[in-house]
């Protein structure tokens, strides 16, 4: 969990996380291209089923990315408006603005994305 950062420190956390989410969108697009290639080459029902499952999981992750980015953008803009000087946020402000919840959601997302990415890379290497 974040210690109580300065307003600018928290703003920078959001910028970094949003940048990572944007990179993940690119990775998901590339993985979808791989799925299309695998689907075109392999007609086995098991492979087709796994392709469909990955497509659904990628779509779910993309929806989560969009929701997280939206929430982070709103919080980032609010912080930018409040950033007069290097003030620190109080614990109450952190909780009322859902910063801990956003961080927790992001960390959960990150684990899900990394796990699915590893699973897909393994699947893709076996499907060649």
């Amino acid at each position: 969990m974040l210690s109580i950062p300065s307003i600018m420190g928290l703003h920078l956390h959001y910028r970094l996380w949003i940048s990572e989410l944007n990179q993940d969108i690119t990775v998901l697009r590339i993985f979808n291209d791989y799925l299309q290639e695998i689907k075109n080459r392999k007609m086995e029902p098991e492979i087709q089923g796994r392709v469909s499952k990955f497509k659904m999981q990628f779509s779910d992750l993309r929806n989560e990315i969009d929701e997280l980015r939206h929430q982070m953008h709103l919080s980032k803009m609010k912080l930018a408006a409040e950033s007069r000087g290097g003030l620190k946020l109080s614990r109450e402000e952190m909780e009322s603005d859902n910063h801990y919840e956003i961080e927790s959601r992001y960390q959960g997302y990150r684990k899900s994305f990394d796990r699915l990415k590893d699973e897909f890379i393994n699947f893709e290497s076996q499907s060649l």
Side-chain angles (χ1 to χ4, degrees):
M1 187 175 295
L2 291 173
S3 59
I4 301 175
S6 68
I7 291 173
M8 185 51 73
L10 189 55
H11 184 271
L12 293 172
H13 269 92
Y14 285 133
R15 285 183 57 201
L16 179 62
W17 292 339
I18 290 167
S19 174
E20 290 174 358
L21 291 171
N22 288 335
Q23 290 174 327
D24 292 348
I25 289 170
T26 301
V27 169
L28 289 175
R29 286 179 181 147
I30 293 167
F31 283 176
N32 273 312
D33 291 344
Y34 271 109
L35 286 176
Q36 188 59 46
E37 179 189 359
I38 292 168
K39 185 176 179 181
N40 291 340
R41 284 187 298 133
K42 304 280 185 167
M43 298 306 289
E44 296 89 9
E46 178 195 347
I47 299 291
Q48 295 298 318
R50 291 193 67 194
V51 165
S52 295
K53 182 180 175 189
F54 276 116
K55 277 187 174 284
M56 182 65 81
Q57 290 173 308
F58 293 164
S59 177
D60 291 345
L61 278 176
R62 177 57 195 261
N63 289 336
E64 183 154 1
I65 288 171
D66 290 342
E67 290 173 16
L68 270 170
R69 280 190 328 164
H70 178 71
Q71 213 174 12
M72 287 179 184
H73 275 297
L74 292 175
S75 292
K76 183 178 69 120
M77 298 309 287
K78 183 177 179 184
L79 289 168
E82 296 172 354
S83 67
R84 306 280 188 262
L87 303 175
K88 286 195 173 210
L89 297 172
S90 70
R91 185 162 303 281
E92 293 78 26
E93 289 172 312
M94 287 283 291
E95 290 170 0
S96 70
D97 289 342
N98 296 322
H99 298 299
Y100 291 126
E101 178 187 329
I102 293 170
E103 179 191 22
S104 178
R105 278 190 66 201
Y106 176 75
Q107 296 302 334
Y109 158 80
R110 185 90 259 141
K111 288 177 186 174
S112 295
F113 179 85
D114 291 341
R115 183 177 54 249
L116 184 58
K117 180 179 172 184
D118 290 342
E119 288 174 21
F120 179 74
I121 289 170
N122 186 41
F123 168 71
E124 189 273 332
S125 68
Q126 293 175 353
S127 299
L128 292 176

